[in-house]
Amino acid sequence: MTMPTLYHCRDARSFRVLWMLEELGIAYRLENLPFPPRDKAPAFLAYNPLGTVPLLVDGAVRMTESAAICHYLATTYGDGQLVRGPADAGYPAYLDALFFGEATLTFPQTLVLRYALFESEARRQPQVAEDYRRWYLGRLTGLESLLERGGGHVAGAAFSAADISVGYALMLADMLRLDPGSDRISAYWRLLRARPAFLRAKTAQQAENAA
């Protein structure tokens, strides 16, 4: 079996995949890129014309969506770990939470990042950033509901790839100093960030070729 290669930028969405690789304990190769790679690493466009991360290369497999890659790794390498299968009663909740982390929680945060931090001073849009900050905070009611139903995690009592998807959004919220919303969510985030694989992933992205 080939060794998967992850193209990654520090603390970008690709962190989900890096965390997943560490949780599964499989050998991988990490290519740390400067952010944004489409501007600062033009050679990367030959691998991914969008110039975005993550990019997972696994033999003939090429994938660029972080939540989908986590599911792929769990089903391909995980031997049933960190995933719910179609025969599992928790499968719909697992899929819903897996995509909730990206589509519902991370999306508004990217608008805050862009219009409050990444754009040049002249192009920043404080009202847009504030609107999407409020959008994100409003969506935390959905996370509350997932945790209440899930028994400690977002797709049941056991940790899964869905928690990695949601956990990345909480990590990004921490970086943006966004309110965690509730004691339940704060406790959940403390639980996730104390996981050994999360800490190993944080260390791995500090490698010598990280920018």
Side-chain angles (χ1 to χ4, degrees):
M1 189 174 287
T2 59
M3 182 185 295
T5 297
L6 172 63
Y7 292 84
H8 168 64
C9 293
R10 188 180 303 174
D11 290 336
R13 282 178 169 97
S14 47
F15 185 83
R16 284 189 178 110
V17 183
L18 181 56
W19 183 0
M20 187 73 183
L21 288 163
E22 289 291 346
E23 289 282 357
L24 292 172
I26 60 177
Y28 64 90
R29 187 166 68 93
L30 183 64
E31 290 288 339
N32 281 303
L33 299 171
F35 185 86
R38 62 182 172 272
D39 293 329
K40 296 186 177 178
F44 177 59
L45 295 173
Y47 296 93
N48 178 12
L50 290 175
T52 58
V53 293
L55 169 65
L56 182 81
V57 178
D58 187 21
V61 171
R62 301 286 189 278
M63 297 182 71
T64 59
E65 292 295 329
S66 61
I69 295 170
C70 288
H71 183 74
Y72 165 79
L73 289 171
T75 54
T76 303
Y77 291 93
D79 194 26
Q81 300 176 68
L82 309 186
V83 70
R84 308 285 185 272
D88 191 317
Y91 182 62
Y94 162 79
L95 284 181
D96 204 41
L98 182 69
F99 292 105
F100 175 84
E102 171 61 19
T104 300
L105 293 183
T106 303
F107 167 71
Q109 293 174 313
T110 62
L111 275 295
V112 177
L113 278 168
R114 177 174 179 179
Y115 289 110
L117 297 174
F118 290 164
E119 290 285 3
S120 65
E121 195 70 38
R123 288 179 53 83
R124 289 184 184 177
Q125 299 287 338
Q127 188 59 58
V128 171
E130 176 61 15
D131 288 347
Y132 280 95
R133 184 188 73 83
R134 290 179 179 273
W135 181 351
Y136 166 78
L137 294 174
R139 295 317 187 262
L140 290 177
T141 58
L143 177 53
E144 279 279 358
S145 178
L146 288 174
L147 291 171
E148 187 174 353
R149 298 196 313 265
H153 292 88
V154 294
F159 179 84
S160 73
D163 293 291
I164 290 177
S165 178
V166 170
Y168 173 73
L170 296 179
M171 185 182 98
L172 191 55
D174 243 11
M175 293 163 55
L176 290 169
R177 299 182 181 179
L178 296 176
D179 190 321
S182 73
D183 290 343
R184 190 199 300 270
I185 293 174
S186 294
Y188 171 65
W189 172 225
R190 285 195 299 272
L191 182 71
L192 294 186
R193 68 178 186 248
R195 290 183 68 85
F198 176 90
L199 299 173
R200 289 195 301 270
K202 279 288 193 179
T203 298
Q205 70 176 1
Q206 308 298 326
E208 205 169 299
N209 65 331

